[in-house]
Amino acid sequence: MIFLKIAVLIVFLFSFSFSDEKKVNKKKYKNKKEINFNNDEDTDEYIKMFVNALNKLKIHYVDSVNESESIKSGIKGLMKNLDPYTKLLEGSSKESYDVLRKGKYGGVGIQLGLRRDTLTVLAPLEDSPAYSEGIYSGDQILMIDSTSTLGMTTKDAAEIIKGDLGTIVTLRILRPSTKKMINFDLERSNIRVKHVPYWGIDKDNIGYIRLTKFSKNAAKDFRLALEELNKNKVDGLIIDLRGNSGGLLNNAINILDYLCDRGETLLKSKGKAKRANKEWISRRKPVLDIDIPIAVLINRSSASASEIVSGALQDLDRAVVIGQKSFGKGLVQHMFDLNDTTTLKLTTAKYYLPSGRLIQKEDYLDNGFLTDGLDTKDSLFTTKGGRVVKGGGGIYPDVKTDIQKKSPYINALWREGVFLNFAATYVPVNNITIDNLSISKQILSDFKKFLNEYELEYYLPGEKDFEKIKQKISKSEFSINKFSKNISKQSNFNFFNEIEEYYSQLKLIQYSLPENQKWIKNGLLREMSRVVSGEKERIKVSLLEDYDYNKAVSILKNLKEYYTILEF
């Protein structure tokens, strides 16, 4: 009956507001004029014009002018109508690229997060000052030196904690398991970035490597993982590039070199400058036997170098790609230091996969300038074995999967950091170790009691729409009593209250719903594993309920299915 009432309410809303225009968020493209390349004399004239304008500004503008900022704004203006990856980097944005290029930074080795607006240690990095001095996952950072962290973002905190090598930073920490305040004086050191955080072998003898970024050390670490897995004679390999936004091109090429036959064309790039026109061919004997099947996991956040690796392996029929269509970035950038604090990140080339396809999506220019004719219907690209693959718009997986959607209730638990907060207290108090860690009925019962401390804010399907409808009707010229009378002769009919009660009752049973119970157990296992044994164990247990990973294992175990996919 309640569903009928909701349906009637929705019909009323449509009849009440049928004249309202539907608002659609669309990305608007600016009209692009035909590009005219001026001669040197014209360019010189415009440079003189710029200098003249700057001088007039300096002399005549009513207030004082920050000339350096004006000039930087002018440089940014040069790139306004170019691609979104050509940027002027300074400050924190430059630091992040420096970390990518150098593979290390000066700090104490803490992965930070916000849990209930409190700066929290998600994990100390192995062999870091934080790890050595005994900082744990779940520790809450209340002070950095003499600065309170109240209202501080993780980005702000990271900038304060990082610093010159050999200097000291003091963290005042509240440990949830003991409720004690502890001061840690940590000496900043070189923190080596590890973007291959986990590799291992499962019970089916399938190897797995997670790669989160293509930084300076990524290819070297990937090779170490590959060699270790190879010693155990794995029957298949899964490379996880989900959420990997890319990084250094040479690292992607090196990784492909470890996996492909010698002499294979891996990639081509084309640009204006002579040095931008290159072809990369595999030079070494592969580290992994060429007959061992490979699956690559991608999603919408897999971009750039991730697309080079997954796309090249797909084009060479060396791997089955599983997941969702990737981001679609087919451009190469180079860094040009303008001074000690400012770097120009400039798109210098387009890259082409072994099949000849460019996978750049046409998302900011509407004239086909970057698609290389991929908007033409007869553009056709084939893999080494003759399979048809698409160009433009990213890497299309051979096996498409849907994103694993969790309920609003489970998303709220993760958003509030409840799993880690519970684990940080529960694990030490109950002496849980990796050997006795399992999610028992007692743990589930204790976790349910722990949730009483939280007021989770979330909307069930249809609830937010109901709230909007309720507000719309309450502001209308019709009274709710008149509206209710029109659809029911019962004088005591309270339409809104019945629906609100329906949602209230539905929220009371969210914890015990079978689908939610599965994700609650997985969430507890993941965060308790992190507290007990670190980030590697957390990644390992997260794969237990990972649909894409389990799909890849299934395909790699069934070679007939694997090679059938590569044939069509």
Side-chain angles (χ1 to χ4, degrees), residues 281-347:
I281 297 172
S282 53
R283 299 164 297 158
R284 307 181 182 95
K285 179 182 177 182
V287 175
L288 189 71
D289 192 290
I290 205 70
D291 292 326
I292 294 176
I294 300 174
V296 181
L297 306 183
I298 62 170
N299 62 12
R300 292 180 296 187
S301 299
S302 303
S304 192
S306 289
E307 294 173 299
I308 289 173
V309 171
S310 56
L313 292 175
Q314 185 181 53
D315 280 7
L316 296 172
D317 294 311
R318 182 65 187 93
V320 168
V321 179
I322 299 170
Q324 299 89 49
K325 186 181 71 169
S326 65
F327 183 79
K329 180 176 180 288
L331 307 177
V332 180
Q333 285 76 43
H334 275 88
M335 305 292 192
F336 299 92
D337 291 329
L338 302 183
N339 58 27
D340 291 340
T341 60
T342 309
T343 296
L344 182 63
K345 182 164 76 82
L346 193 66
T347 296

Side-chain angles (χ1 to χ4, degrees), residues 503-521:
Y503 280 117
S504 295
Q505 292 299 317
L506 202 55
K507 286 186 174 181
L508 290 176
I509 63 170
Q510 289 298 302
Y511 186 86
S512 57
L513 291 176
E515 184 65 14
N516 285 343
Q517 276 285 294
K518 179 183 78 172
W519 290 115
I520 288 170
K521 290 176 182 177

Side-chain angles (χ1 to χ4, degrees), residues 226-481:
L226 206 57
E227 288 173 343
E228 186 175 312
L229 296 177
N230 216 18
K231 286 178 184 176
N232 290 277
K233 297 181 179 179
V234 291
D235 294 329
L237 173 66
I238 298 171
I239 303 171
D240 194 344
L241 298 178
R242 291 174 296 180
N244 186 327
S245 60
L248 304 179
L249 175 60
N250 65 322
N251 275 257
I253 297 299
N254 286 337
I255 286 171
L256 287 170
D257 221 358
Y258 305 151
L259 302 169
C260 300
D261 252 340
R262 185 183 288 143
E264 296 280 15
T265 297
L266 304 176
L267 193 73
K268 292 181 181 180
S269 69
K270 297 177 184 178
K272 186 186 294 182
K274 187 176 180 180
R275 58 175 290 192
N277 295 285
K278 285 186 176 182
E279 181 176 4
W280 288 267
I281 297 172
S282 53
R283 299 164 297 158
R284 307 181 182 95
K285 179 182 177 182
V287 175
L288 189 71
D289 192 290
I290 205 70
D291 292 326
I292 294 176
I294 300 174
V296 181
L297 306 183
I298 62 170
N299 62 12
R300 292 180 296 187
S301 299
S302 303
S304 192
S306 289
E307 294 173 299
I308 289 173
V309 171
S310 56
L313 292 175
Q314 185 181 53
D315 280 7
L316 296 172
D317 294 311
R318 182 65 187 93
V320 168
V321 179
I322 299 170
Q324 299 89 49
K325 186 181 71 169
S326 65
F327 183 79
K329 180 176 180 288
L331 307 177
V332 180
Q333 285 76 43
H334 275 88
M335 305 292 192
F336 299 92
D337 291 329
L338 302 183
N339 58 27
D340 291 340
T341 60
T342 309
T343 296
L344 182 63
K345 182 164 76 82
L346 193 66
T347 296
T348 56
K350 306 171 191 177
Y351 69 74
Y352 299 81
L353 297 173
S355 64
R357 56 180 169 150
L358 171 73
I359 54 89
Q360 173 64 37
K361 63 181 178 181
E362 191 180 355
D363 60 342
Y364 50 88
L365 292 176
D366 59 356
N367 57 9
F369 182 64
L370 285 167
T371 59
D372 282 30
L374 298 179
D375 51 336
T376 305
K377 292 181 180 179
D378 62 354
S379 294
L380 189 67
F381 304 94
T382 57
T383 68
K384 184 179 179 181
R387 292 185 299 143
V388 175
V389 287
K390 293 182 180 180
I395 302 298
Y396 292 79
D398 302 308
V399 179
K400 187 179 181 301
T401 63
D402 294 322
I403 297 172
Q404 279 185 288
K405 291 185 178 179
K406 300 178 180 66
S407 72
Y409 178 72
I410 297 299
N411 288 333
L413 292 179
W414 280 110
R415 190 169 56 248
E416 290 293 321
V418 181
F419 294 117
L420 179 57
N421 289 348
F422 175 78
T425 303
Y426 199 84
V427 166
V429 169
N430 292 275
N431 297 317
I432 294 175
T433 66
I434 197 65
D435 295 324
N436 63 15
L437 175 56
S438 64
I439 307 305
S440 63
K441 289 182 180 179
Q442 184 61 53
I443 290 177
L444 287 171
S445 176
D446 292 339
F447 181 62
K448 188 175 183 180
K449 293 174 186 175
F450 182 79
L451 289 177
N452 292 333
E453 299 178 17
Y454 290 80
E455 290 185 11
L456 297 175
E457 294 185 5
Y458 63 96
Y459 288 98
L460 292 172
E463 189 178 7
K464 188 177 286 188
D465 293 328
F466 166 66
E467 292 293 334
K468 290 179 181 178
I469 292 170
K470 189 170 70 170
Q471 290 177 17
K472 194 95 174 180
I473 293 176
S474 66
K475 295 177 182 177
S476 76
E477 59 181 295
F478 301 101
S479 69
I480 185 61
N481 291 331

